[in-house]
Amino acid sequence: VGELQVALGEKEMCELEKGRQLLSAVVAKNASAVRALLNAGADPLTRARDGGVALHRAVTPNLIVMLLKAAPAAAFVRNWEGKLPLEMHILRFPHVVDRMNLLRAWRETTGTGVFFQISLGGQTPCGLLTEYERVELNLLPMREGIVQDGELQVLADEGREEETRGD
């Protein structure tokens, strides 16, 4: 993609190289190099061969926050498989101790919206989390509901009683 952008005049070769260096620094978990490259104008939306951006490769809370602050739109970039960076992090780290720290970094930096982006497979990142993680991240309980007369009618878990929630 980068070479095509250079050929079309959308990017200069030096911009592409800085973006590639940023991708490498993120993979190496080198926070000081990432910070320096971002300060030097490296584009955090530069795509790797798999279509991912640096945020797809970040594996520490510090790098995630740094990249999200540099390019908030990166949270919504899908790689060629159609996966968001948050989905990749959830799938890549199913049983690691730092998983909650990674998820907290996402929640504190982006809010809740990215947790509810529907993937190409029809699932949300929130749906990939455990109940414990959803509670810890203060994400709404996943409950069934329908929209009726412009209001969400949430079906209660016990007895399927309906609760009406306005805006």
Side-chain angles (χ1 to χ4, degrees):
V1 173
E3 288 82 7
L4 182 58
Q5 288 178 305
V6 170
L8 293 172
E10 293 178 0
K11 273 189 181 184
E12 298 292 325
M13 184 54 87
C14 63
E15 292 173 304
L16 178 59
E17 286 306 316
K18 277 187 203 173
R20 287 180 173 163
Q21 290 171 7
L22 178 64
L23 287 163
S24 295
V26 168
V27 169
K29 302 178 201 168
N30 187 338
S32 59
V34 169
R35 186 176 295 107
L37 285 160
L38 289 171
N39 289 337
D43 182 3
L45 298 175
T46 298
R47 291 188 182 258
R49 291 186 190 274
D50 67 355
V53 295
L55 190 55
H56 281 93
R57 289 161 169 65
V59 295
T60 67
N62 183 36
L63 288 176
I64 289 169
V65 170
M66 198 181 312
L67 292 166
L68 283 169
K69 286 183 177 179
F76 302 97
V77 173
R78 296 180 186 279
N79 64 14
W80 301 150
E81 292 179 0
K83 298 216 182 316
L84 296 167
L86 178 56
E87 286 179 276
M88 297 293 293
H89 294 157
I90 292 169
L91 295 169
R92 189 179 302 141
F93 304 109
H95 305 293
V96 295
V97 176
D98 279 349
R99 178 172 153 130
M100 270 312 299
N101 291 331
L102 291 172
L103 294 171
R104 281 189 191 101
W106 273 96
R107 173 69 169 87
E108 291 166 8
T109 308
T110 65
T112 60
V114 71
F115 285 89
F116 296 98
Q117 291 293 308
I118 299 173
S119 73
L120 297 180
Q123 187 157 6
T124 65
C126 185
L128 298 172
L129 300 177
T130 65
E131 183 66 27
Y132 169 80
E133 291 168 332
R134 287 192 294 271
V135 169
E136 284 294 308
L137 296 169
N138 198 26
L139 299 171
L140 293 175
M142 296 180 67
R143 296 170 41 178
E144 293 183 44
I146 58 170
V147 175
Q148 183 176 5
D149 298 325
E151 290 192 21
L152 177 63
Q153 305 291 320
V154 179
L155 302 176
D157 293 331
E158 296 178 26
R160 308 290 276 171
E161 296 172 20
E162 290 188 14
E163 305 169 8
T164 302
R165 276 199 298 179
D167 298 342

